[in-house]
Amino acid sequence: MFRKMFWIFFLSYVWTSFLFAEVVKLMDYPDVYGNRVVFTYAGDLWEADATTGKGYRLTSHPGLETNAHFSPDGKWIAFTGEYDGNSDVYVIPAEGGEPVRLTYHGSRDLVVGWTPDGKYILFVSTREMGYYGPFLYRVSFQGGFPEKVPIDRAAWASFDASGTRVAFNRRPGEFRNWKRYHGGQAPDVWIADLTRHTFKNITADYDGVDLRPLWVGDEIYFVSDRKTGINNLWAYNVKTGEFSQKTFHDRFAVYAPETDGKSIVYRLGGELYLFDIASGKTRKLEIDLPAEHWQSRPEFVNPTEKLGDFDVLPDGKWAVVEARGDLFKIKKKNGKWENLTNTQGVRERYPAVSPDGKYVAYFSDESGEYQLYYRKLTPDAKPVQLTHQLKTYPYHLLWSPDGTKLLFGDKDYILRMVDVKSGKITRIDQGHYQKDYEFYWEISEYDWSPDSKWVVYSKVEPNLNSAIYLYSLESGKITRLTDGQLDDYAPVFDKGGDYLYFISNRNFDP
């Protein structure tokens, strides 16, 4: 009997712990003070015990609170918040409380730390230089007009103990989507001596990423992908000029490190890690947050407020509209609607109605990747899957006028044609260049000839101008129609099939 009661108690305890305790991920912008860590989770600030992992919420405003930093005495937390509609500098007591606003400018002010004496909060802003900033500023903890720190562009900054020297990056450089970047935008770590008015690039030996400097005693810790190609913590000794690697992660990259002078907290793979400076040891923090996760709860949503792509039936009386991941058939006259797909957890998009008005083709991610389907325009119709091996993000669909084929481009710069009856896929062409100043970079502008025998499209050339191309379905031959000396794009056939119209940038003004 005792053994049975023991197991009932034990299982109840485990189940209760499972229900009310949750080790979370996707924490960001952490900072540390002693045994406490503060960070952003689900758009709010949280604080947790680094030993037990138990955490509690500091802010609950619908706006985003981020870039939190403990004051040098650990009594206050400065952060960037959106309480009044703009990203400005705020401060609250370390245990939580009502935020006090310290900056009032239309630009985004991002907190990067405190001065060593705790009198000023450091932040970066593009308020004076726009896109070509940011600059480093300080604002008094007691409030007042911000002062510019006398260095040029600065995205991250950390003062030494004396407050006379600062290690900084001129560029932000956290390219989460660019790994192992070596180029003109790769940030270096600089030291500025504010009394001697001197500057020194301490990472000029490496043309990759050297980022987020933290001044600790005689060393400057920073993030770099040197040697391994993966961001790890490194340190530069100010006295000897020597570099040393401090962490050795080989899968995920180190991001957003901050320090209290004794340990360094950072994000890696969506979790928080703590590096002990004295011992050189790293441990993962198991953070338990009692969050309600209201953003992930099911809710009723009016689909008319979340409309996406659409197509109109040939008679003009009905339209097929994408809304909240489903496809709806909507009548023009009285707004009557039918949900054609009605799939939970699946997204359908880019509906294209067949020329005879009987079918709709679309992309669906039901299999995990977007694949091409078509179905009759009735809710009880069964979809027919045309593709099975696509692993890309597709663009809009276009039926051939005879209703036998479908045309679409994708994020791999490929233009494809699919035979509706057989499912055969023809790869027409692929681009290799993109325009940095255009919304569409890939092959995304294409059209059918009225007799369904030709496809016209535009493709970016090596000089970053687009040229017009023509593809023959009968021969499979591609003919270039414009020479690329001018930017020609958005081609379409006229209704008779005799002429091509396109847009051309022909402004020769210097």
Side-chain angles (χ1 to χ4, degrees):
M1 183 67 180
F2 174 79
R3 180 177 296 178
K4 182 177 180 181
M5 292 299 295
F6 169 79
W7 280 110
I8 292 175
F9 173 80
F10 176 76
L11 292 175
S12 299
Y13 172 78
V14 171
W15 175 246
T16 303
S17 301
F18 175 76
L19 277 177
F20 297 102
E22 181 183 8
V23 177
V24 301
K25 295 186 178 182
L26 300 181
M27 298 164 284
D28 209 350
Y29 305 107
D31 194 23
V32 60
Y33 184 85
N35 204 41
R36 295 177 293 164
V37 290
V38 63
F39 50 88
T40 296
Y41 176 70
D44 292 322
L45 296 187
W46 294 72
E47 190 171 321
D49 187 293
T51 301
T52 65
K54 296 296 182 181
Y56 61 93
R57 188 193 300 269
L58 294 176
T59 65
S60 59
H61 188 266
L64 179 66
E65 294 88 46
T66 185
N67 289 64
H69 287 77
F70 284 107
S71 60
D73 60 6
K75 296 180 180 180
W76 301 91
I77 294 175
F79 64 97
T80 297
E82 294 178 337
Y83 285 90
D84 299 316
N86 188 63
S87 297
D88 284 286
V89 177
Y90 291 80
V91 65
I92 56 173
E95 65 273 11
E98 185 175 352
V100 176
R101 183 175 179 179
L102 297 179
T103 64
Y104 297 82
H105 195 278
S107 293
R108 191 181 186 194
D109 298 335
L110 297 179
V111 175
V112 297
W114 294 68
T115 55
D117 58 12
K119 294 182 178 180
Y120 295 91
I121 296 165
L122 299 169
F123 68 94
V124 297
S125 176
T126 59
R127 56 176 60 197
E128 290 185 55
M129 205 171 178
Y131 177 78
Y132 296 98
F135 287 144
L136 178 65
Y137 300 84
R138 69 178 191 176
V139 62
S140 172
F141 169 65
Q142 302 296 331
F145 194 79
E147 303 172 0
K148 184 179 175 183
V149 178
I151 58 177
D152 60 349
R153 293 174 60 183
W156 309 105
S158 177
F159 278 87
D160 71 346
S162 70
T164 61
R165 294 182 296 174
V166 57
F168 67 99
N169 292 122
R170 285 192 167 94
R171 301 184 181 91
E174 274 193 329
F175 301 121
R176 289 179 173 83
N177 58 330
W178 288 11
K179 307 300 182 185
R180 291 164 286 279
Y181 173 74
H182 292 250
Q185 293 297 317
D188 281 315
V189 177
W190 291 74
I191 295 177
D193 190 315
L194 302 182
T195 57
R196 298 180 180 180
H197 308 290
T198 60
F199 292 84
K200 180 182 179 181
N201 185 342
I202 65 172
T203 59
D205 64 310
Y206 180 59
D207 62 358
V209 172
D210 298 305
L211 190 63
R212 299 287 290 256
L214 303 170
W215 205 312
V216 181
D218 293 329
E219 290 187 308
I220 297 175
Y221 286 78
F222 61 97
V223 172
S224 180
D225 61 0
R226 54 181 67 205
K227 283 192 177 180
T228 64
I230 296 177
N231 286 3
N232 272 283
L233 277 181
W234 285 72
Y236 169 82
N237 191 292
V238 179
K239 291 184 176 181
T240 66
E242 295 180 350
F243 292 92
S244 57
Q245 186 174 353
K246 299 298 183 180
T247 64
F248 299 86
H249 301 290
D250 57 5
R251 184 182 180 190
F252 294 113
V254 171
Y255 285 114
E258 294 294 346
T259 185
D260 62 353
K262 296 181 180 179
S263 58
I264 297 175
V265 65
Y266 57 88
R267 179 174 63 85
L268 186 135
E271 299 177 289
L272 300 186
Y273 284 72
L274 201 63
F275 172 79
D276 182 77
I277 295 175
S279 67
K281 295 182 179 180
T282 299
R283 64 184 177 95
K284 183 172 69 173
L285 302 181
E286 300 289 344
I287 304 297
D288 173 19
L289 302 180
E292 75 271 36
H293 299 297
W294 62 268
Q295 298 98 328
S296 62
R297 291 178 62 84
E299 61 177 317
F300 289 99
V301 177
N302 185 348
T304 62
E305 299 174 355
K306 304 289 182 180
L307 300 181
D309 287 88
F310 65 93
D311 198 11
V312 180
L313 273 68
D315 60 10
K317 297 179 179 179
W318 292 80
V320 178
V321 179
E322 167 203 336
R324 292 289 299 177
D326 281 337
L327 300 184
F328 294 83
K329 183 181 176 183
I330 303 175
K331 195 170 185 178
K332 175 184 177 182
K333 185 175 182 180
N334 55 16
K336 177 184 177 182
W337 59 271
E338 299 174 343
N339 192 330
L340 297 177
T341 53
N342 198 20
T343 50
Q344 292 293 327
V346 177
R347 183 173 187 180
E348 291 92 19
R349 64 187 316 173
Y350 297 130
V353 178
S354 61
D356 59 9
K358 296 180 180 180
Y359 299 92
V360 58
Y362 57 94
F363 287 100
S364 170
D365 64 358
E366 185 173 6
S367 65
E369 298 282 353
Y370 279 112
Q371 303 297 333
L372 178 58
Y373 296 76
Y374 79 98
R375 63 189 298 155
K376 289 186 177 180
L377 286 167
T378 56
D380 58 347
K382 292 184 178 180
V384 178
Q385 186 171 350
L386 291 176
T387 65
H388 297 82
Q389 303 297 325
L390 293 181
K391 292 184 178 181
T392 186
Y393 186 89
Y395 279 150
H396 60 278
L397 287 162
L398 200 61
W399 284 86
S400 60
D402 62 8
T404 64
K405 294 175 177 61
L406 285 158
L407 194 66
F408 67 95
D410 63 34
K411 278 289 185 181
D412 293 326
Y413 299 51
I414 299 173
L415 180 63
R416 291 183 172 94
M417 180 178 64
V418 180
D419 187 281
V420 176
K421 186 176 181 179
S422 66
K424 179 183 176 182
I425 302 175
T426 301
R427 178 168 162 164
I428 294 178
D429 200 356
Q430 182 176 16
H432 299 283
Y433 306 95
Q434 68 181 36
K435 298 179 187 178
D436 292 334
Y437 55 88
E438 292 286 346
F439 181 75
Y440 290 116
W441 298 333
E442 300 81 5
I443 302 179
S444 58
E445 299 164 334
Y446 34 83
D447 192 32
W448 288 95
S449 63
D451 60 6
S452 301
K453 295 182 178 180
W454 302 87
V455 171
V456 65
Y457 58 96
S458 63
K459 186 176 71 169
V460 181
E461 299 295 290
N463 64 358
L464 300 187
N465 282 337
S466 292
I468 307 299
Y469 288 82
L470 193 65
Y471 170 77
S472 169
L473 272 69
E474 292 181 353
S475 66
K477 182 181 178 181
I478 296 174
T479 303
R480 179 173 172 172
L481 301 181
T482 61
D483 59 12
Q485 296 302 309
L486 301 170
D487 195 16
D488 305 319
Y489 55 96
V492 293
F493 280 95
D494 75 335
K495 291 184 178 181
D498 297 322
Y499 294 94
L500 281 171
Y501 295 89
F502 60 93
I503 298 174
S504 182
N505 290 337
R506 303 192 176 207
N507 187 343
F508 299 102
D509 292 339

